[in-house]
Amino acid sequence: MGLLSKIFNKITPKNQGIEDYTKKLSDDFVTQGSNIQFTPNEIEPIYKKKLDNNLYPGEIILLWWVDGKQITHEIPGYFQYQYGIDAIKSIKKLFDKGFIIFSTPYDSLKSLKVEKLKELLKNNDLQIKGKKAELIERVKENINENYVAEFIKDKTYSLSERGMEVTKKYDYVVYGHNSHIKDESVTAATMIESKNKMPTYLKNKDIAWHLLNEAAMTHSKNREYGLLRNTSCSQAEFLKREEKYIDSLVFWIFALTLDLSGMGNSTKYNKTPQYHEVMAIPYIFDEIKSVCSKGALSTLDYDAAYNKAWNIYKNSLIDTGFLDRNNNYKAISFGLNDCRKDIQQFYKKEVSIQ
């Protein structure tokens, strides 16, 4: 486990290491198509526990979500089936407690689509060119707020100062919900659990990176190579968003190598690989090209990243299948040159079966 931890934590983003790093609202707010049923057992226990401000985690996420929304906006079903809260009742509660207020007409402008803003400007013989922020500013500078109030039919919610303070304090809950990390290692629940255990100086992205590394090590130890591949893609995407393009490239190549190994969440292909199980997902080739382009990476950068990815593959897995460093390199090259159909034939002819 020590070697595995060393390998997976070696490639870490700069400064991202664990050491661095009012009314009756039920009638106002409508839901459409949010009739998803759930049983209490399907909700993670941590979402049923109130935070120290007497709000549930789902209500923190609701505060973030409702800001700038019109009262007629459709409420996502995940508040019910994932977080276990009745969003309409919670909005009334948050409103009554002063976390949510109604927006002023000017503040409500951000809830309008660009087409509506242009209509408002056109009705007042004003220029309609520009980005949304420019259109809003033009409205504020030239159109009376009372006229704007008449134009905007539905009220819009905003966060009060108290509401903003709460979302700032519990921003890690929102970060977990909105992390865009697809393998589910980073969620509101895992962020809450980790925040309570880890040093307070760590930023949300530091905790997220730690959780991704932890998931990768667990999958590798359990020989869950399909899940490891998914987590590797999440690590690569995370690093890409952080503009750590070389490190992102390492994890894209590692994920692709796992694809080409023919190993999934078992080891039955280790000694006798099944060629029909060897496949590479096309979008990973596109992602490799993307990070190389965005990072202006050279051939030397690519080769260095490939070597790091291969070392992770060989040194951190209990099983390494039938892959060979050079043949794997060639197979990936086929895909990068849009000859992806040749990969299957290449393995049938060129790869030595152990």
Side-chain angles (χ1 to χ4, degrees):
M1 191 70 176
L3 174 62
L4 188 61
S5 177
K6 181 178 179 181
I7 292 171
F8 273 101
N9 284 288
K10 184 177 181 181
I11 302 174
T12 306
K14 187 177 180 181
N15 299 324
Q16 273 192 281
I18 294 305
E19 297 299 323
D20 300 321
Y21 280 137
T22 61
K23 293 181 181 182
K24 190 177 180 183
L25 301 183
S26 298
D27 295 330
D28 287 341
F29 215 117
V30 300
T31 57
Q32 302 170 13
S34 299
N35 297 318
I36 299 171
Q37 300 299 314
F38 67 93
T39 61
N41 291 335
E42 292 174 333
I43 307 300
E44 290 199 48
I46 200 165
Y47 295 141
K48 301 176 186 177
K49 296 180 180 179
K50 290 184 178 180
L51 300 167
D52 58 15
N53 65 349
N54 208 35
L55 296 180
Y56 291 102
E59 291 176 326
I60 301 297
I61 296 165
L62 182 60
L63 278 174
W64 162 80
W65 178 86
V66 81
D67 186 28
K69 294 290 192 306
Q70 293 183 339
I71 62 174
T72 54
H73 201 288
E74 179 182 352
I75 300 176
Y78 58 70
F79 285 112
Q80 182 182 11
Y81 67 75
Q82 183 174 346
Y83 297 112
I85 64 171
D86 183 323
I88 292 177
K89 290 182 179 179
S90 288
I91 288 172
K92 184 181 187 307
K93 167 186 168 181
L94 295 168
F95 196 102
D96 290 342
K97 291 182 175 295
F99 293 103
I100 299 173
I101 58 176
F102 283 128
S103 305
T104 66
Y106 280 159
D107 288 340
S108 298
L109 290 169
K110 62 185 178 182
S111 71
L112 298 181
K113 294 183 178 180
V114 170
E115 292 74 15
K116 292 295 290 182
L117 288 168
K118 288 183 177 180
E119 180 185 339
L120 177 57
L121 289 165
K122 189 175 181 180
N123 290 348
N124 288 270
D125 299 320
L126 294 169
Q127 190 181 47
I128 62 172
K129 293 182 179 179
K131 296 180 180 180
K132 184 173 182 177
E134 296 171 331
L135 301 180
I136 290 174
E137 194 60 34
R138 194 172 301 140
V139 170
K140 290 180 179 179
E141 291 175 354
N142 296 281
I143 303 177
N144 184 278
E145 193 166 19
N146 291 330
Y147 183 92
V148 174
E150 294 178 5
F151 183 83
I152 300 175
K153 296 180 180 180
D154 295 319
K155 292 179 181 179
T156 303
Y157 290 113
S158 290
L159 297 187
S160 65
E161 186 174 335
R162 186 183 182 193
M164 289 187 283
E165 288 175 356
V166 168
T167 53
K168 183 178 180 180
K169 179 179 180 180
Y170 296 99
D171 63 345
Y172 58 91
V173 179
V174 176
Y175 183 96
H177 167 77
N178 199 38
S179 69
H180 305 294
I181 294 175
K182 299 173 184 176
D183 75 327
E184 298 186 355
S185 57
V186 180
T187 64
T190 59
M191 288 295 292
I192 294 169
E193 291 169 351
S194 298
K195 187 72 175 179
N196 293 335
K197 298 176 183 176
M198 300 179 74
T200 56
Y201 62 82
L202 291 179
K203 296 180 180 179
N204 291 333
K205 61 184 180 181
D206 302 331
I207 299 173
W209 183 250
H210 168 78
L211 288 169
L212 283 167
N213 282 336
E214 202 171 53
M217 289 186 282
T218 298
H219 295 324
S220 181
K221 180 181 178 181
N222 295 337
R223 303 186 182 189
E224 299 166 335
Y225 301 127
L227 295 176
L228 176 59
R229 178 258 186 210
N230 294 340
T231 297
S232 299
C233 288
S234 293
Q235 289 175 297
E237 289 169 349
F238 180 97
L239 292 162
K240 183 181 178 181
R241 287 194 294 271
E242 292 295 310
E243 299 183 355
K244 307 296 181 183
Y245 296 117
I246 293 180
D247 288 346
S248 176
L249 180 58
V250 171
F251 282 96
W252 283 125
I253 294 173
F254 178 56
L256 187 54
T257 299
L258 286 168
D259 274 347
L260 296 174
S261 73
M263 298 190 298
N265 291 328
S266 69
T267 59
K268 64 181 179 180
Y269 302 128
N270 186 31
K271 298 298 182 182
T272 309
Q274 303 294 314
Y275 292 108
H276 67 275
E277 295 289 344
V278 176
M279 67 177 196
I281 306 301
Y283 91 91
I284 298 186
F285 292 110
D286 297 333
E287 287 290 346
I288 288 175
K289 291 179 181 180
S290 174
V291 295
C292 286
S293 176
K294 286 180 179 293
L297 304 184
S298 67
T299 302
L300 290 177
D301 291 327
Y302 176 85
D303 287 345
Y306 178 83
N307 288 334
K308 287 182 180 180
W310 182 258
N311 286 336
I312 293 175
Y313 177 76
K314 292 297 289 185
N315 297 326
S316 68
L317 304 190
I318 297 173
D319 311 285
T320 54
F322 59 94
L323 293 184
D324 169 87
R325 177 195 290 263
N326 294 329
N327 283 335
N328 187 57
Y329 185 97
K330 290 177 183 178
I332 294 175
S333 297
F334 279 132
L336 292 174
N337 288 296
D338 298 320
C339 300
R340 295 164 193 172
K341 292 181 179 179
D342 295 340
I343 293 176
Q344 290 284 349
Q345 286 299 116
F346 174 79
Y347 274 114
K348 288 181 180 179
K349 294 180 179 179
E350 301 293 335
V351 174
S352 299
I353 303 176
Q354 296 177 355

